[in-house]
Amino acid sequence: EYMTRFKSESGSPYPFGVKRSDKKFNFAIYSKNASGVKLYISSSRSGTPSVDYELDPNLNKTGDIWHICVIDLPDSFYYFYQVSGPWEPESGLTFKDDIKLVDPYAQLISGLAPWSERSDNQPIMASFQEETFDWEGDRPLNRSLHETIIYEMHVRGFTRSKNSGVQHPGTFSGIAEKAGYLKELGITAVELLPVHEFDEEDCRYINPNSGERLKDYWGYSSINFFAVKSAYSSYPAATSPKTEFKKMVKTLHREGIEVILDVVFNHTAEGGWDRKIINFKGLGNKDFYLLDDKGDYLNLSGCGNTVNCNHPVTANMIVDSLRFFVTEYHVDGFRFDLASILSRGENGDLLNEPLVLNLITKDPVLSQTKLIAEPWDAVGLYQVGGFCPNSRWAEWNDRFRDSVRRFGRGEPGWTGELATRLAGSEDLFGPQGKKAENSINFITAHDGFT
């Protein structure tokens, strides 16, 4: 029955992803150098049976955007793309028409929940699910930076232990259950380690004692920048990860606690040449990643690839993601992992006025949102105090961390340095016209000895 072809129209190039309007579902995806695009829609998490649409470049393409409008689809379904084009790695073109590509703008991704139980016959696919949510008047809290005390946490690790006493350990719901406890601590914001969808099984490291393959626990390996981590929901609950995340935000806001997300726009789960094609490589490899003149990936992140953040399409995608989490999820701010990469141009050089930083800083939707940079990258672009001249940007101050720890363990000669850090690091932030509140002072974090 599902194989009956649904009617279709040419569709619209915007917005990207899937947009429902009554009985019409518009699909739009960017691929500049593709020669052909097929859309597959399925009722099953296995991807079959499905209906497929071969997009006609004369009808279903505007500029570099492929699009189609499908009519009368059900309220929930799974979908993927197969994209054909040249395989010329030395020119940055890596099209393979037999790979199921995940929509970069998918709001839900299937096949990665529950935690560590992925089966090989469940492909990673985008999914669409119609949902409504009553925010009951909730709004982002807009607390000032100088009043902010941040509690960095891992969604799973925070309540996974039995002694956490929650009904849904290791989940967004588990954090919501602990909202009163968090308020008692006196903190004003939680900063969640990455919640963009990732695959915890995608880890090459082995436990040297047991020989067991390790998990990617931390999640700094995003598949896309719009879907929340499905294995952090209390699966298989009736509600989706989206709804559970919203309930968590609403509950924390009621206790006066802001929600800041650690976002990883500097690299993705696709890694370098030795890793798989998931989406960006198969849609526009040289648009989404920094490549050298031989077509090899620049590795300024230490993770095998580096996102081409200042390509206009990629820059707009990053801003779209931030806007989406502010408007759809009521998130209060973002901490940008290895943020110096946001300052780099298409050949990896430092830009005077990076497009993506300009777009983020001046975006009207994000104008009250906290922006926190980790102001360095993996190859030495260290910008503490001078990451972005705009006072909107706060910065992780590792000089504060190092001074406190060296003084604390009794190293001689650190008293003056410590006093400068405690007084607000005027030496670092003053020359840029920034204030003490632009310095995010911390002693320890998820990096290193925690």
Side-chain angles (χ1 to χ4, degrees), residues 245-261:
F245 189 95
K246 291 172 185 178
K247 285 181 177 177
M248 175 196 70
V249 173
K250 185 165 73 170
T251 303
L252 290 169
H253 280 177
R254 282 176 174 165
E255 298 291 356
I257 297 170
E258 293 188 309
V259 178
I260 298 169
L261 301 186

Side-chain angles (χ1 to χ4, degrees), residues 381-430:
L381 182 51
Y382 182 84
Q383 297 179 290
V384 174
F387 170 72
C388 179
N390 193 292
S391 61
R392 288 282 318 283
W393 286 87
E395 303 173 31
W396 270 27
N397 186 351
D398 64 330
R399 293 277 294 276
F400 183 98
R401 174 198 66 195
D402 296 349
S403 301
V404 172
R405 289 166 74 151
R406 284 168 172 161
F407 179 85
R409 69 184 178 212
E411 287 188 28
W414 282 92
T415 309
E417 168 87 2
L418 177 66
T420 301
R421 300 296 147 242
L422 292 175
S425 296
E426 169 76 20
D427 58 328
L428 298 175
F429 292 88

